[in-house]
Structures are given as C-alpha cells and as structure tokens.
Amino acid sequence: MLRQEKRQRNKTVSFERNQTLSSNVPRAVHMVYCYCKTALENGRKLAFLLDHEVFADDYEVNLHFEDISPLYHLEPISGNCIVVYIWHLYKKMVKENKIEKFRFVNPHSIPNLQKNIHDKTGKTEWLNKRASSLADKLSGAAMDQVVLVPSCCGFHWTLTVIEPYKEIVYLVDSLSHRIRDEDWIYVVEMALRLFNSTKGRKGRKRVQWEVIKAPKQPDAKKCGYYVMRFMRQITEEVTTLEGDSLRSIFTKTGYSMEEIDEVRTELAECIQNHIYE
C-alpha cells in the first residue's frame, strides 16, 4: 500500500501543475488546500500522533501535500487521509460515549498483496502475514464490539465489518454487491481462525459472509470517500448488528455530492484543528 501511495504522489505532482483553484469545493477543504500548498512545500509534512486507543498502538500518520491535493480536486484519496478521518470519527465517538461499540483497524497495518510475488508459496506466506496482522487487531476487540476494517485491493477501497466473536463478516463495497476478492476472503477467514485459537474457542465451521447493498459510486475515483461515508453512517446510526440493522441504514443507490462534501469537510476541519491547536 505504501508503494501505491508513492505512485499516487508522483501522479499528483504532474496532475497539480495543470490545475487551478476551484470555488466549487467546501470552504474548509479550500482553506486547508491553500495552507498546505505553501506550508508543505519541498516534502514537508503534517504529523498526527494518534491516541494509543485508536488502533491499540502508538501510531503517527504523516500528511504531505500529495495527500491534500486529491482531497481538494476530488481525486482518489490516500490511505493517510482515511486514517486521519478515522481519528476524527474516534474523537467524535469519545464525546458521544460510543467508543465501546466500535473498533477500527489501521489499513496500513494490513498492506495489500505485493504484485511481485508470483509463486504460490510466496503468495500464501504473504496472505498469512496479512491474516496474522488482522488477527492481532481482532484480538483486542470486546465481546460485543464491531470491528471496522477499511482495506485497499489494488486501487479500490472497501469496508469490511467484522463481529469476531460471532464470526460474521459484512462487506460494504461501493463498486459491487458481490464478493470479488478471493484473497481477502482467505485473509479474513484465516484471521478469524487465528483469533479463535488465541481465545481458546472452537469457532463455527464456516464464517458467515453478508454482502451489504450499499450506495454505489458514480465513477472510478470516489471509493475512498464512500468508505469514509460508510464508516460515518455506521458509527452514527448502528447501535447493534442484530437482524438487518446494517442493511437498513443503507437505503440509497448512491451518495449525493453534498453527502460526499460532508465527509471532505469533516476531514479538512480535523486537519485544520490539528494545524491551529
């Protein structure tokens, strides 16, 4: 995933040269963009040291201008921005006393499959490494806690919602209403087997997968914004995953531009607060 983000940064540099400022963006996004265009010149960065409780780890995420520019121009968003948005949701849940209900997994802790692995043994080892990382994150979940896992396959972001003690997995994908990534199925199911082993649990014979018919993105660029919106909607509207509660909140065929701008604004305001605190 880090290699992908470096490639994205290189693309952004050339893309940026041909762009002009637009008035059709949220005010907070515009202000952050203008500030960072100067403040983050020559590879400078904004460093966010997240509370240990966010990912059960001391984690620092660094935003460069190459992360900010796509946010402004509504281009594919980086994993770093998604991590900062999780930081925003976490702080919001602390204020609303919802922190016991949800747990986030850092997408950078479960990197995507390396494209240079061609042999079956090497691929299996890499998938098992990813599964072990995910299992480690699941192990800290409380009995009734829901785990939200944003993940990137290639250049596409999806959200996986896991109830580890029930071994139920929900896939929320803005491109498809079916499970397309067999490698990810393997990673999640292996992680749950490792989780059960760690807890001394027998577990069920088969993991239960549910595909949620979530809003679909209108183009190839907005998957990251949709994942942010998915996480926002779940943490705001879901109190329990009993029955069809998760399905019931996703009733739209797509998000409006105003709804996408809402999460862009929240992310930008989180960055602003960090700049001026």
Side-chain angles (χ1 to χ4, degrees):
M1 191 178 294
L2 293 177
R3 290 183 180 180
Q4 292 170 2
E5 297 207 353
K6 287 179 181 178
R7 288 198 296 269
Q8 179 63 38
R9 287 175 185 171
N10 292 335
K11 289 181 181 178
T12 302
V13 171
S14 59
F15 171 81
E16 185 64 33
R17 294 193 185 106
N18 300 317
Q19 298 299 308
T20 57
L21 290 175
S22 170
S23 59
N24 297 321
V25 296
R27 177 177 174 81
V29 177
H30 183 92
M31 292 177 67
V32 164
Y33 175 87
C34 291
Y35 171 87
C36 291
K37 192 169 185 179
T38 300
L40 302 186
E41 286 181 328
N42 302 319
R44 288 190 292 244
K45 63 187 180 182
L46 284 174
F48 294 73
L49 183 60
L50 275 57
D51 286 356
H52 180 87
E53 289 75 13
V54 180
F55 297 125
D57 192 10
D58 293 324
Y59 187 77
E60 181 178 283
V61 58
N62 298 314
L63 288 187
H64 298 80
F65 181 67
E66 292 80 11
D67 296 300
I68 303 298
S69 181
L71 173 66
Y72 180 88
H73 294 296
L74 207 58
E75 290 293 307
I77 203 166
S78 70
N80 288 337
C81 283
I82 289 178
V83 169
V84 173
Y85 189 72
I86 289 173
W87 172 223
H88 158 73
L89 290 177
Y90 175 85
K91 291 188 289 185
K92 184 178 180 182
M93 289 191 303
V94 169
K95 290 181 180 179
E96 297 173 355
N97 295 318
K98 292 183 177 180
I99 202 61
E100 301 301 323
K101 297 178 181 178
F102 302 98
R103 184 180 184 87
F104 294 102
V105 171
N106 183 350
H108 290 316
S109 69
I110 311 171
N112 195 21
L113 182 65
Q114 293 180 354
K115 296 299 183 181
N116 60 349
I117 298 179
H118 301 293
D119 64 289
K120 186 176 181 179
T121 301
K123 179 178 179 179
T124 300
E125 289 178 355
W126 183 254
L127 292 176
N128 286 337
K129 181 179 179 181
R130 297 179 72 203
S132 179
S133 296
L134 178 56
D136 180 60
K137 304 307 176 185
L138 295 177
S139 66
M143 182 69 71
D144 296 321
Q145 211 167 28
V146 177
V147 183
L148 305 182
V149 190
S151 62
C152 186
C153 175
F155 294 97
H156 179 58
W157 286 93
T158 63
L159 179 66
T160 304
V161 182
I162 304 175
E163 292 185 279
Y165 284 91
K166 296 180 181 179
E167 294 176 79
I168 302 177
V169 182
Y170 303 87
L171 181 67
V172 193
D173 187 345
S174 57
L175 270 187
S176 176
H177 292 158
R178 61 185 179 86
I179 302 174
R180 301 181 300 157
D181 188 353
E182 296 295 328
D183 289 342
W184 183 238
I185 294 175
Y186 177 91
V187 168
V188 173
E189 293 188 352
M190 176 59 74
L192 285 169
R193 283 196 288 271
L194 294 171
F195 169 82
N196 285 332
S197 176
T198 301
K199 299 294 181 181
R201 303 173 71 244
K202 183 178 180 181
R204 56 199 298 172
K205 290 183 178 180
R206 290 181 64 110
V207 173
Q208 180 180 335
W209 284 82
E210 301 282 348
V211 179
I212 303 301
K213 291 185 177 180
K216 283 194 172 185
Q217 63 190 80
D219 53 33
K221 298 180 179 181
K222 293 190 176 67
C223 57
Y225 302 97
Y226 268 59
V227 164
M228 291 195 298
R229 187 79 201 189
F230 292 156
M231 292 190 294
R232 181 187 195 268
Q233 200 166 345
I234 290 170
T235 55
E236 282 189 348
E237 300 180 33
V238 172
T239 55
T240 174
L241 291 187
E242 296 294 335
D244 292 330
S245 58
L246 195 58
R247 288 191 184 88
S248 67
I249 69 170
F250 293 117
T251 57
K252 297 182 178 181
T253 57
Y255 289 128
S256 66
M257 195 61 243
E258 289 76 13
E259 289 170 314
I260 296 301
D261 281 346
E262 216 168 7
V263 294
R264 293 170 74 200
T265 296
E266 288 171 342
L267 174 56
E269 288 177 346
C270 182
I271 297 170
Q272 276 184 319
N273 291 338
H274 180 73
I275 292 171
Y276 298 113
E277 67 182 7

PDB file of all heavy atoms in Angstrom, residues 140-168:
ATOM      1  N   GLY A 140      -7.996  -7.703  20.311  1.00  0.00           N
ATOM      2  CA  GLY A 140      -8.277  -6.700  21.333  1.00  0.00           C
ATOM      3  C   GLY A 140      -9.731  -6.301  21.409  1.00  0.00           C
ATOM      4  O   GLY A 140     -10.109  -5.483  22.259  1.00  0.00           O
ATOM      5  N   ALA A 141     -10.576  -6.850  20.526  1.00  0.00           N
ATOM      6  CA  ALA A 141     -11.990  -6.471  20.499  1.00  0.00           C
ATOM      7  C   ALA A 141     -12.742  -7.050  21.687  1.00  0.00           C
ATOM      8  O   ALA A 141     -12.501  -8.185  22.099  1.00  0.00           O
ATOM      9  CB  ALA A 141     -12.637  -6.940  19.200  1.00  0.00           C
ATOM     10  N   ALA A 142     -13.653  -6.266  22.229  1.00  0.00           N
ATOM     11  CA  ALA A 142     -14.514  -6.752  23.312  1.00  0.00           C
ATOM     12  C   ALA A 142     -15.600  -7.649  22.730  1.00  0.00           C
ATOM     13  O   ALA A 142     -15.813  -7.692  21.514  1.00  0.00           O
ATOM     14  CB  ALA A 142     -15.130  -5.566  24.048  1.00  0.00           C
ATOM     15  N   MET A 143     -16.306  -8.353  23.612  1.00  0.00           N
ATOM     16  CA  MET A 143     -17.282  -9.360  23.195  1.00  0.00           C
ATOM     17  C   MET A 143     -18.321  -8.798  22.215  1.00  0.00           C
ATOM     18  O   MET A 143     -18.638  -9.418  21.211  1.00  0.00           O
ATOM     19  CB  MET A 143     -17.983  -9.937  24.424  1.00  0.00           C
ATOM     20  CG  MET A 143     -18.987 -11.033  24.118  1.00  0.00           C
ATOM     21  SD  MET A 143     -18.213 -12.561  23.547  1.00  0.00           S
ATOM     22  CE  MET A 143     -17.450 -13.138  25.064  1.00  0.00           C
ATOM     23  N   ASP A 144     -18.863  -7.637  22.489  1.00  0.00           N
ATOM     24  CA  ASP A 144     -19.931  -7.070  21.657  1.00  0.00           C
ATOM     25  C   ASP A 144     -19.435  -5.958  20.737  1.00  0.00           C
ATOM     26  O   ASP A 144     -20.241  -5.206  20.183  1.00  0.00           O
ATOM     27  CB  ASP A 144     -21.060  -6.535  22.542  1.00  0.00           C
ATOM     28  CG  ASP A 144     -21.727  -7.647  23.336  1.00  0.00           C
ATOM     29  OD1 ASP A 144     -21.901  -8.749  22.779  1.00  0.00           O
ATOM     30  OD2 ASP A 144     -22.063  -7.416  24.517  1.00  0.00           O
ATOM     31  N   GLN A 145     -18.136  -5.847  20.571  1.00  0.00           N
ATOM     32  CA  GLN A 145     -17.579  -4.771  19.762  1.00  0.00           C
ATOM     33  C   GLN A 145     -17.550  -5.146  18.284  1.00  0.00           C
ATOM     34  O   GLN A 145     -17.258  -6.282  17.917  1.00  0.00           O
ATOM     35  CB  GLN A 145     -16.165  -4.436  20.244  1.00  0.00           C
ATOM     36  CG  GLN A 145     -15.782  -2.983  20.057  1.00  0.00           C
ATOM     37  CD  GLN A 145     -14.528  -2.639  20.837  1.00  0.00           C
ATOM     38  OE1 GLN A 145     -13.675  -3.485  21.087  1.00  0.00           O
ATOM     39  NE2 GLN A 145     -14.403  -1.384  21.234  1.00  0.00           N
ATOM     40  N   VAL A 146     -17.872  -4.169  17.444  1.00  0.00           N
ATOM     41  CA  VAL A 146     -17.851  -4.340  15.990  1.00  0.00           C
ATOM     42  C   VAL A 146     -16.554  -3.739  15.463  1.00  0.00           C
ATOM     43  O   VAL A 146     -16.175  -2.629  15.837  1.00  0.00           O
ATOM     44  CB  VAL A 146     -19.065  -3.639  15.346  1.00  0.00           C
ATOM     45  CG1 VAL A 146     -19.004  -3.741  13.827  1.00  0.00           C
ATOM     46  CG2 VAL A 146     -20.364  -4.247  15.864  1.00  0.00           C
ATOM     47  N   VAL A 147     -15.868  -4.464  14.589  1.00  0.00           N
ATOM     48  CA  VAL A 147     -14.566  -4.033  14.080  1.00  0.00           C
ATOM     49  C   VAL A 147     -14.717  -3.542  12.643  1.00  0.00           C
ATOM     50  O   VAL A 147     -15.221  -4.266  11.774  1.00  0.00           O
ATOM     51  CB  VAL A 147     -13.538  -5.179  14.142  1.00  0.00           C
ATOM     52  CG1 VAL A 147     -12.173  -4.685  13.670  1.00  0.00           C
ATOM     53  CG2 VAL A 147     -13.443  -5.733  15.561  1.00  0.00           C
ATOM     54  N   LEU A 148     -14.300  -2.310  12.384  1.00  0.00           N
ATOM     55  CA  LEU A 148     -14.376  -1.711  11.057  1.00  0.00           C
ATOM     56  C   LEU A 148     -12.997  -1.747  10.404  1.00  0.00           C
ATOM     57  O   LEU A 148     -12.036  -1.212  10.954  1.00  0.00           O
ATOM     58  CB  LEU A 148     -14.877  -0.266  11.140  1.00  0.00           C
ATOM     59  CG  LEU A 148     -16.214  -0.042  11.858  1.00  0.00           C
ATOM     60  CD1 LEU A 148     -16.588   1.428  11.821  1.00  0.00           C
ATOM     61  CD2 LEU A 148     -17.316  -0.876  11.235  1.00  0.00           C
ATOM     62  N   VAL A 149     -12.925  -2.381   9.219  1.00  0.00           N
ATOM     63  CA  VAL A 149     -11.641  -2.581   8.542  1.00  0.00           C
ATOM     64  C   VAL A 149     -11.690  -1.996   7.134  1.00  0.00           C
ATOM     65  O   VAL A 149     -12.151  -2.651   6.194  1.00  0.00           O
ATOM     66  CB  VAL A 149     -11.280  -4.079   8.453  1.00  0.00           C
ATOM     67  CG1 VAL A 149      -9.845  -4.252   7.974  1.00  0.00           C
ATOM     68  CG2 VAL A 149     -11.504  -4.797   9.771  1.00  0.00           C
ATOM     69  N   PRO A 150     -11.226  -0.753   6.941  1.00  0.00           N
ATOM     70  CA  PRO A 150     -11.084  -0.257   5.570  1.00  0.00           C
ATOM     71  C   PRO A 150      -9.871  -0.918   4.926  1.00  0.00           C
ATOM     72  O   PRO A 150      -8.811  -1.020   5.554  1.00  0.00           O
ATOM     73  CB  PRO A 150     -10.874   1.253   5.762  1.00  0.00           C
ATOM     74  CG  PRO A 150     -10.347   1.400   7.150  1.00  0.00           C
ATOM     75  CD  PRO A 150     -10.842   0.236   7.952  1.00  0.00           C
ATOM     76  N   SER A 151     -10.022  -1.388   3.705  1.00  0.00           N
ATOM     77  CA  SER A 151      -8.886  -2.060   3.056  1.00  0.00           C
ATOM     78  C   SER A 151      -8.849  -1.698   1.580  1.00  0.00           C
ATOM     79  O   SER A 151      -9.878  -1.371   0.970  1.00  0.00           O
ATOM     80  CB  SER A 151      -8.986  -3.590   3.217  1.00  0.00           C
ATOM     81  OG  SER A 151     -10.156  -4.090   2.593  1.00  0.00           O
ATOM     82  N   CYS A 152      -7.653  -1.780   1.026  1.00  0.00           N
ATOM     83  CA  CYS A 152      -7.440  -1.400  -0.368  1.00  0.00           C
ATOM     84  C   CYS A 152      -6.969  -2.608  -1.161  1.00  0.00           C
ATOM     85  O   CYS A 152      -5.978  -3.243  -0.811  1.00  0.00           O
ATOM     86  CB  CYS A 152      -6.407  -0.282  -0.457  1.00  0.00           C
ATOM     87  SG  CYS A 152      -6.193   0.387  -2.124  1.00  0.00           S
ATOM     88  N   CYS A 153      -7.708  -2.941  -2.211  1.00  0.00           N
ATOM     89  CA  CYS A 153      -7.319  -4.005  -3.130  1.00  0.00           C
ATOM     90  C   CYS A 153      -6.959  -3.362  -4.462  1.00  0.00           C
ATOM     91  O   CYS A 153      -7.829  -2.830  -5.156  1.00  0.00           O
ATOM     92  CB  CYS A 153      -8.462  -5.006  -3.316  1.00  0.00           C
ATOM     93  SG  CYS A 153      -8.126  -6.289  -4.537  1.00  0.00           S
ATOM     94  N   GLY A 154      -5.686  -3.383  -4.801  1.00  0.00           N
ATOM     95  CA  GLY A 154      -5.268  -2.647  -5.990  1.00  0.00           C
ATOM     96  C   GLY A 154      -5.393  -1.166  -5.710  1.00  0.00           C
ATOM     97  O   GLY A 154      -4.694  -0.616  -4.864  1.00  0.00           O
ATOM     98  N   PHE A 155      -6.336  -0.507  -6.380  1.00  0.00           N
ATOM     99  CA  PHE A 155      -6.577   0.917  -6.152  1.00  0.00           C
ATOM    100  C   PHE A 155      -8.011   1.158  -5.693  1.00  0.00           C
ATOM    101  O   PHE A 155      -8.514   2.278  -5.784  1.00  0.00           O
ATOM    102  CB  PHE A 155      -6.291   1.715  -7.426  1.00  0.00           C
ATOM    103  CG  PHE A 155      -4.845   1.689  -7.825  1.00  0.00           C
ATOM    104  CD1 PHE A 155      -4.385   0.785  -8.776  1.00  0.00           C
ATOM    105  CD2 PHE A 155      -3.933   2.541  -7.235  1.00  0.00           C
ATOM    106  CE1 PHE A 155      -3.053   0.754  -9.145  1.00  0.00           C
ATOM    107  CE2 PHE A 155      -2.594   2.510  -7.585  1.00  0.00           C
ATOM    108  CZ  PHE A 155      -2.139   1.614  -8.542  1.00  0.00           C
ATOM    109  N   HIS A 156      -8.673   0.116  -5.195  1.00  0.00           N
ATOM    110  CA  HIS A 156     -10.078   0.234  -4.800  1.00  0.00           C
ATOM    111  C   HIS A 156     -10.243  -0.015  -3.303  1.00  0.00           C
ATOM    112  O   HIS A 156      -9.774  -1.022  -2.770  1.00  0.00           O
ATOM    113  CB  HIS A 156     -10.942  -0.759  -5.583  1.00  0.00           C
ATOM    114  CG  HIS A 156     -12.383  -0.718  -5.209  1.00  0.00           C
ATOM    115  ND1 HIS A 156     -13.152   0.433  -5.306  1.00  0.00           N
ATOM    116  CD2 HIS A 156     -13.216  -1.687  -4.717  1.00  0.00           C
ATOM    117  CE1 HIS A 156     -14.376   0.170  -4.895  1.00  0.00           C
ATOM    118  NE2 HIS A 156     -14.445  -1.099  -4.535  1.00  0.00           N
ATOM    119  N   TRP A 157     -10.941   0.923  -2.642  1.00  0.00           N
ATOM    120  CA  TRP A 157     -11.197   0.824  -1.215  1.00  0.00           C
ATOM    121  C   TRP A 157     -12.554   0.187  -0.948  1.00  0.00           C
ATOM    122  O   TRP A 157     -13.544   0.509  -1.608  1.00  0.00           O
ATOM    123  CB  TRP A 157     -11.175   2.206  -0.562  1.00  0.00           C
ATOM    124  CG  TRP A 157      -9.816   2.796  -0.418  1.00  0.00           C
ATOM    125  CD1 TRP A 157      -9.186   3.637  -1.297  1.00  0.00           C
ATOM    126  CD2 TRP A 157      -8.900   2.575   0.654  1.00  0.00           C
ATOM    127  NE1 TRP A 157      -7.935   3.964  -0.825  1.00  0.00           N
ATOM    128  CE2 TRP A 157      -7.729   3.323   0.370  1.00  0.00           C
ATOM    129  CE3 TRP A 157      -8.955   1.832   1.829  1.00  0.00           C
ATOM    130  CZ2 TRP A 157      -6.631   3.338   1.221  1.00  0.00           C
ATOM    131  CZ3 TRP A 157      -7.864   1.845   2.684  1.00  0.00           C
ATOM    132  CH2 TRP A 157      -6.721   2.592   2.379  1.00  0.00           C
ATOM    133  N   THR A 158     -12.594  -0.718   0.029  1.00  0.00           N
ATOM    134  CA  THR A 158     -13.842  -1.288   0.521  1.00  0.00           C
ATOM    135  C   THR A 158     -13.815  -1.244   2.046  1.00  0.00           C
ATOM    136  O   THR A 158     -12.767  -1.000   2.658  1.00  0.00           O
ATOM    137  CB  THR A 158     -14.033  -2.752   0.065  1.00  0.00           C
ATOM    138  OG1 THR A 158     -12.989  -3.568   0.616  1.00  0.00           O
ATOM    139  CG2 THR A 158     -14.029  -2.862  -1.457  1.00  0.00           C
ATOM    140  N   LEU A 159     -14.975  -1.511   2.641  1.00  0.00           N
ATOM    141  CA  LEU A 159     -15.069  -1.571   4.097  1.00  0.00           C
ATOM    142  C   LEU A 159     -15.558  -2.961   4.496  1.00  0.00           C
ATOM    143  O   LEU A 159     -16.560  -3.449   3.975  1.00  0.00           O
ATOM    144  CB  LEU A 159     -16.041  -0.516   4.628  1.00  0.00           C
ATOM    145  CG  LEU A 159     -16.242  -0.506   6.151  1.00  0.00           C
ATOM    146  CD1 LEU A 159     -14.956  -0.102   6.864  1.00  0.00           C
ATOM    147  CD2 LEU A 159     -17.381   0.433   6.541  1.00  0.00           C
ATOM    148  N   THR A 160     -14.833  -3.590   5.411  1.00  0.00           N
ATOM    149  CA  THR A 160     -15.236  -4.876   5.959  1.00  0.00           C
ATOM    150  C   THR A 160     -15.602  -4.674   7.424  1.00  0.00           C
ATOM    151  O   THR A 160     -14.845  -4.075   8.189  1.00  0.00           O
ATOM    152  CB  THR A 160     -14.102  -5.911   5.846  1.00  0.00           C
ATOM    153  OG1 THR A 160     -13.695  -6.009   4.468  1.00  0.00           O
ATOM    154  CG2 THR A 160     -14.573  -7.276   6.308  1.00  0.00           C
ATOM    155  N   VAL A 161     -16.788  -5.148   7.794  1.00  0.00           N
ATOM    156  CA  VAL A 161     -17.293  -5.009   9.159  1.00  0.00           C
ATOM    157  C   VAL A 161     -17.324  -6.408   9.776  1.00  0.00           C
ATOM    158  O   VAL A 161     -17.971  -7.306   9.233  1.00  0.00           O
ATOM    159  CB  VAL A 161     -18.694  -4.375   9.171  1.00  0.00           C
ATOM    160  CG1 VAL A 161     -19.187  -4.183  10.603  1.00  0.00           C
ATOM    161  CG2 VAL A 161     -18.693  -3.039   8.412  1.00  0.00           C
ATOM    162  N   ILE A 162     -16.622  -6.585  10.887  1.00  0.00           N
ATOM    163  CA  ILE A 162     -16.450  -7.922  11.461  1.00  0.00           C
ATOM    164  C   ILE A 162     -16.982  -7.974  12.893  1.00  0.00           C
ATOM    165  O   ILE A 162     -16.690  -7.099  13.713  1.00  0.00           O
ATOM    166  CB  ILE A 162     -14.964  -8.335  11.472  1.00  0.00           C
ATOM    167  CG1 ILE A 162     -14.371  -8.255  10.055  1.00  0.00           C
ATOM    168  CG2 ILE A 162     -14.794  -9.747  12.038  1.00  0.00           C
ATOM    169  CD1 ILE A 162     -12.878  -8.537   9.991  1.00  0.00           C
ATOM    170  N   GLU A 163     -17.777  -9.004  13.167  1.00  0.00           N
ATOM    171  CA  GLU A 163     -18.140  -9.363  14.541  1.00  0.00           C
ATOM    172  C   GLU A 163     -17.316 -10.600  14.886  1.00  0.00           C
ATOM    173  O   GLU A 163     -17.741 -11.725  14.620  1.00  0.00           O
ATOM    174  CB  GLU A 163     -19.627  -9.656  14.642  1.00  0.00           C
ATOM    175  CG  GLU A 163     -20.521  -8.453  14.439  1.00  0.00           C
ATOM    176  CD  GLU A 163     -21.974  -8.796  14.661  1.00  0.00           C
ATOM    177  OE1 GLU A 163     -22.608  -9.346  13.745  1.00  0.00           O
ATOM    178  OE2 GLU A 163     -22.481  -8.528  15.770  1.00  0.00           O
ATOM    179  N   PRO A 164     -16.137 -10.436  15.468  1.00  0.00           N
ATOM    180  CA  PRO A 164     -15.217 -11.571  15.625  1.00  0.00           C
ATOM    181  C   PRO A 164     -15.746 -12.709  16.493  1.00  0.00           C
ATOM    182  O   PRO A 164     -15.503 -13.881  16.189  1.00  0.00           O
ATOM    183  CB  PRO A 164     -13.963 -10.935  16.237  1.00  0.00           C
ATOM    184  CG  PRO A 164     -14.401  -9.619  16.773  1.00  0.00           C
ATOM    185  CD  PRO A 164     -15.547  -9.180  15.933  1.00  0.00           C
ATOM    186  N   TYR A 165     -16.479 -12.395  17.554  1.00  0.00           N
ATOM    187  CA  TYR A 165     -16.955 -13.460  18.438  1.00  0.00           C
ATOM    188  C   TYR A 165     -18.111 -14.251  17.828  1.00  0.00           C
ATOM    189  O   TYR A 165     -18.358 -15.391  18.215  1.00  0.00           O
ATOM    190  CB  TYR A 165     -17.363 -12.881  19.797  1.00  0.00           C
ATOM    191  CG  TYR A 165     -16.170 -12.532  20.663  1.00  0.00           C
ATOM    192  CD1 TYR A 165     -15.614 -11.254  20.622  1.00  0.00           C
ATOM    193  CD2 TYR A 165     -15.579 -13.475  21.488  1.00  0.00           C
ATOM    194  CE1 TYR A 165     -14.512 -10.922  21.404  1.00  0.00           C
ATOM    195  CE2 TYR A 165     -14.479 -13.161  22.271  1.00  0.00           C
ATOM    196  CZ  TYR A 165     -13.945 -11.882  22.219  1.00  0.00           C
ATOM    197  OH  TYR A 165     -12.840 -11.566  22.979  1.00  0.00           O
ATOM    198  N   LYS A 166     -18.802 -13.638  16.870  1.00  0.00           N
ATOM    199  CA  LYS A 166     -19.883 -14.346  16.173  1.00  0.00           C
ATOM    200  C   LYS A 166     -19.414 -14.907  14.832  1.00  0.00           C
ATOM    201  O   LYS A 166     -20.142 -15.668  14.185  1.00  0.00           O
ATOM    202  CB  LYS A 166     -21.066 -13.402  15.945  1.00  0.00           C
ATOM    203  CG  LYS A 166     -21.729 -12.923  17.220  1.00  0.00           C
ATOM    204  CD  LYS A 166     -22.888 -11.989  16.899  1.00  0.00           C
ATOM    205  CE  LYS A 166     -23.554 -11.490  18.174  1.00  0.00           C
ATOM    206  NZ  LYS A 166     -24.672 -10.547  17.890  1.00  0.00           N
ATOM    207  N   GLU A 167     -18.216 -14.506  14.400  1.00  0.00           N
ATOM    208  CA  GLU A 167     -17.653 -14.911  13.113  1.00  0.00           C
ATOM    209  C   GLU A 167     -18.597 -14.565  11.957  1.00  0.00           C
ATOM    210  O   GLU A 167     -18.845 -15.352  11.057  1.00  0.00           O
ATOM    211  CB  GLU A 167     -17.318 -16.402  13.113  1.00  0.00           C
ATOM    212  CG  GLU A 167     -16.193 -16.758  14.076  1.00  0.00           C
ATOM    213  CD  GLU A 167     -15.922 -18.252  14.138  1.00  0.00           C
ATOM    214  OE1 GLU A 167     -15.262 -18.764  13.217  1.00  0.00           O
ATOM    215  OE2 GLU A 167     -16.381 -18.883  15.104  1.00  0.00           O
ATOM    216  N   ILE A 168     -19.108 -13.342  12.027  1.00  0.00           N
ATOM    217  CA  ILE A 168     -19.942 -12.794  10.957  1.00  0.00           C
ATOM    218  C   ILE A 168     -19.193 -11.628  10.335  1.00  0.00           C
ATOM    219  O   ILE A 168     -18.662 -10.765  11.040  1.00  0.00           O
ATOM    220  CB  ILE A 168     -21.305 -12.319  11.488  1.00  0.00           C
ATOM    221  CG1 ILE A 168     -22.048 -13.480  12.164  1.00  0.00           C
ATOM    222  CG2 ILE A 168     -22.153 -11.752  10.350  1.00  0.00           C
ATOM    223  CD1 ILE A 168     -23.379 -13.084  12.791  1.00  0.00           C
TER     224      ILE A 168
END
